[in-house]
Amino acid sequence: MTLAQKLKQEFPTVIIKENERLDAYTYTKTGGPVDALVFPVSKEDVQAVVTWTNTNQIPLTILGNSSNVIIRDGGIRGVVMILTELNGMQVKKNRLIVQSGARLIDASNRALYEQLSGLEFACGIPGSVGGAVYMNAGAYGGEVKTVIETVEVITPRGEIKTYKNEELDFSYRHSKLQESGEIVIETVFTLEKGNKEKMAEKMAELTELRTSKQPLEYPSCGSVFKRPTGYFTGKLIQDAGLQGKTWGGAQISTKHAGFIVNVNHASATDYIELIAHIQEVIWNVYHVKLETEVRIIGEDPVPDSVDHASERMSS
């Protein structure tokens, strides 16, 4: 009996897919197959699957909206849970309570509808709320840590815990969840009563800025690298003469050098090798270490009998 079959037997009401390719779910349109892909529709589903995988010592990987992740071409062994079905929201006075699978963009729009200010900066961030908490997502001078009150999580053992903001050790593109392996289930945002017209105007301004500067017409994983102290990543890459370079089907965007776009059926390997090439060049030219903001997970593919990186690289 396969892993997916065992899961279907254990959780007959949960949607479970076997040997599903993940390129259908990622923003880069890359990623190999997973042994068992699970779509929980409730907190109880998540808790039950987490407990089951822990008890049976089966690897478990959590994905939200898969907007800031590269999944290697060999795919992922074990169970992958995609939380996009957990997307409920409710408002209680000045608090917006959002399940982890909801898109941060949708949370920002709901806040606008309710005339609650504080999430305008997030109007163009495509990731899930859970992913945004996990990495302290931000844009245009805002970060989610500034409006988070509490976060409910499920531990790797299946226990439910609630953290206050100060307990999450937020910093630039970081939270303690990156070390603890805990899964965000629900987040409470504390917002302020705002002027709907002014909020909408600000969000329209940020949307226009994003549309004009980012290569939204191609699949991508968003901003690839963290911003090194004292530098702008895109300018470093541009000044090093790398903008427009292609590697297989992946290209350093000609619109914004901080993005790598999928222009011609790129593989995850194309992305990963181009990232390594950028890091090497920037280090050699400027002695600046670029750290990835995007998560790179999964297994490498079985190597081809003939596979030369130089054959995939072009100017």
Side-chain angles (χ1 to χ4, degrees):
M1 188 180 290
T2 66
L3 175 59
Q5 288 168 341
K6 289 178 182 177
L7 279 163
K8 288 176 182 178
Q9 190 176 68
E10 192 74 23
F11 307 105
T13 62
V14 177
I15 299 170
I16 297 165
K17 297 184 179 184
E18 183 171 5
N19 203 33
E20 181 86 347
R21 288 193 60 84
L22 292 167
D23 53 12
Y25 302 93
T26 61
Y27 269 54
T28 58
K29 302 303 178 188
T30 65
V34 60
D35 296 336
L37 184 60
V38 179
F39 295 87
V41 296
S42 69
K43 176 169 65 176
E44 291 73 24
D45 284 347
V46 178
Q47 192 174 18
V49 173
V50 168
T51 301
W52 188 85
T53 54
N54 181 63
T55 300
N56 291 279
Q57 298 183 316
I58 293 168
L60 174 64
T61 303
I62 306 299
L63 293 178
N65 210 27
S66 303
S67 62
N68 198 225
V69 64
I70 295 172
I71 298 169
R72 293 184 175 93
D73 297 312
I76 299 176
R77 304 288 67 79
V79 176
V80 168
M81 258 201 304
I82 291 182
L83 302 181
T84 49
E85 295 299 314
L86 273 73
N87 54 20
M89 300 185 208
Q90 58 177 312
V91 173
K92 292 184 178 179
K93 294 185 178 179
N94 68 325
R95 290 175 173 83
L96 178 63
I97 303 162
V98 190
Q99 289 185 312
S100 62
R103 297 192 312 161
L104 191 58
I105 288 174
D106 294 337
S108 178
N109 286 331
R110 178 63 183 272
L112 172 65
Y113 177 80
E114 302 287 349
Q115 299 185 58
L116 293 174
S117 179
L119 276 174
E120 291 91 330
F121 73 90
C123 65
I125 299 177
S128 67
V129 167
V133 174
Y134 177 89
M135 66 173 294
N136 185 26
Y140 303 115
E143 291 180 308
V144 293
K145 73 173 185 180
T146 62
V147 286
I148 288 174
E149 180 177 322
T150 58
V151 175
E152 185 179 74
V153 304
I154 292 178
T155 72
R157 292 181 174 274
E159 301 160 342
I160 294 178
K161 292 175 67 173
T162 299
Y163 288 113
K164 295 178 181 177
N165 183 306
E166 58 270 20
E167 296 176 299
L168 287 162
D169 191 24
F170 284 122
S171 59
Y172 176 64
R173 300 299 177 264
H174 174 269
S175 76
K176 70 173 286 183
L177 304 174
Q178 294 173 17
E179 289 82 45
S180 71
E182 293 163 315
I183 303 163
V184 177
I185 293 299
E186 189 173 86
T187 299
V188 178
F189 295 106
T190 302
L191 306 172
E192 297 179 357
K193 201 66 180 174
N195 180 292
K196 192 171 184 178
E197 189 174 303
K198 288 182 179 178
M199 290 168 62
E201 187 179 315
K202 179 65 174 178
M203 289 166 70
E205 177 189 327
L206 293 179
T207 299
E208 171 61 28
L209 194 60
R210 181 171 179 263
T211 303
S212 65
K213 292 193 173 184
Q214 295 182 15
L216 305 180
E217 63 273 25
Y218 291 106
S220 82
C221 56
S223 183
V224 176
F225 300 102
K226 296 177 182 177
R227 189 175 70 190
T229 304
Y231 298 91
F232 291 101
T233 307
K235 189 174 189 312
L236 282 175
I237 295 170
Q238 190 174 19
D239 291 349
L242 291 173
Q243 190 164 18
K245 176 173 282 297
T246 60
W247 197 293
Q251 180 187 69
I252 300 172
S253 170
T254 57
K255 194 172 185 179
H256 189 312
F259 287 68
I260 297 176
V261 292
N262 185 342
V263 294
N264 187 21
H265 307 291
S267 66
T269 301
D270 293 338
Y271 264 87
I272 292 164
E273 290 182 352
L274 182 52
I275 287 169
H277 178 68
I278 294 167
Q279 289 172 318
E280 181 181 11
V281 170
I282 298 304
W283 176 257
N284 289 339
V285 174
Y286 300 108
H287 232 60
V288 173
K289 183 178 180 181
L290 290 183
E291 295 182 11
T292 53
E293 179 174 315
V294 62
R295 290 172 63 209
I296 300 174
I297 60 176
E299 297 188 352
D300 289 320
V302 176
D304 298 331
S305 55
V306 178
D307 183 19
H308 304 292
S310 59
E311 292 177 0
R312 287 200 292 274
M313 184 177 68
S314 60
S315 299

